[in-house]
Amino acid sequence: MDFYFTLETTGSAAYKDRGSKFLAYCYPLQTAEEFKKHLQAIKKEHPKAAHYCFAYRIGFDGNNHRASDDGEPSGTAGKQILGQLDSKNITNALVIVIRYFGGTLLGVPGLINAYKTATSLALQCTQIVQKPVEIKYSIHFDYTILNDVMHILKQFKCTIHKNEMQLFCDIEAGIPKTNLHYVTDALENIPNVKFKKLG
């Protein structure tokens, strides 16, 4: 897998059914810690909501995901939210759907439809982008060759995650998988550059 789909921006949408109101919020997501912050912020913003259901997926191996029904009947909320992300092949993303109860029970089919629809509407209001899968590397080199190294990283559309510039420079960069071979070859041709794969 060389590319993946994710959210470029946040988005939100509302869906109503028989008095119950479902508010869906989408976020780009890199870590489980980020998810916790988003959930806390939503709970603070909507302290009177009856349920805070969510699903997220991080990474590319399909193993790092979580879904919660938060008290709704099993399988009616979190699974539906995750299903909408998966139907669009979206990863590194989070959707939280909160419910304000309207007094009328919707039943299992009604809940499934509500959580699915709210998520789908929110994703339609969010910019979905294709990004290259990146492999993280640390690069260590002398300050005098900074321009040469930066030129390569720019040329092959690498993402700089960390950057320490002193007499010696240390950079953590995400190298697109499709360009990995070109970048490592180019770096090997510059004297005194040390680089290694992270994680």
Side-chain angles (χ1 to χ4, degrees):
M1 188 171 136
D2 296 330
F3 293 92
Y4 66 98
F5 291 98
T6 191
L7 307 181
E8 182 75 351
T9 55
T10 58
S12 62
Y15 175 76
K16 284 181 185 171
D17 187 3
R18 285 167 280 177
S20 275
K21 196 173 173 187
F22 298 83
L23 304 176
Y25 297 88
C26 307
Y27 306 90
L29 190 73
Q30 297 300 325
T31 65
E33 282 65 43
E34 264 181 61
F35 148 69
K36 287 170 192 162
K37 284 178 190 165
H38 288 308
L39 187 61
Q40 280 167 358
I42 288 287
K43 284 183 174 181
K44 210 171 174 181
E45 196 182 327
H46 298 276
K48 293 189 175 149
H51 302 278
Y52 305 88
C53 305
F54 65 82
Y56 68 73
R57 188 176 284 289
I58 303 170
F60 315 112
D61 59 8
N63 296 327
N64 194 352
H65 60 86
R66 203 175 146 202
S68 168
D69 296 317
D70 190 38
E72 292 282 34
S74 179
T76 58
K79 188 180 168 187
Q80 308 309 320
I81 299 166
L82 190 63
Q84 287 301 302
L85 287 173
D86 290 348
S87 72
K88 293 177 169 55
N89 289 321
I90 295 169
T91 190
N92 290 0
L94 159 71
V95 180
I96 300 171
V97 182
I98 64 164
R99 179 187 181 189
Y100 284 99
F101 185 57
T104 306
L105 293 172
L106 303 183
V108 168
L111 288 171
I112 286 172
N113 178 59
Y115 282 102
K116 198 185 267 186
T117 306
T119 304
S120 176
L121 291 170
L123 289 172
Q124 285 170 36
C125 299
T126 312
Q127 192 183 351
I128 297 167
V129 289
Q130 188 185 48
K131 288 190 174 181
V133 171
E134 292 184 335
I135 298 166
K136 268 194 175 181
Y137 269 76
S138 69
I139 309 162
H140 177 81
F141 54 92
D142 192 295
Y143 188 77
T144 54
I145 51 173
L146 174 66
N147 287 348
D148 299 339
V149 173
M150 292 310 270
H151 175 72
I152 293 164
L153 297 180
K154 212 171 181 179
Q155 185 185 349
F156 293 106
K157 298 181 170 60
C158 301
T159 308
I160 309 285
H161 295 291
K162 268 189 195 164
N163 200 342
E164 284 178 31
M165 302 291 175
Q166 285 159 5
L167 192 57
F168 288 97
C169 303
D170 286 292
I171 287 177
E172 274 184 24
I175 303 171
K177 204 171 162 187
T178 47
N179 293 338
L180 185 61
H181 174 63
Y182 304 111
V183 174
T184 53
D185 278 3
L187 290 174
E188 271 168 4
N189 287 328
I190 306 172
N192 301 322
V193 173
K194 290 178 184 152
F195 59 91
K196 65 173 183 198
K197 188 177 169 184
L198 294 170

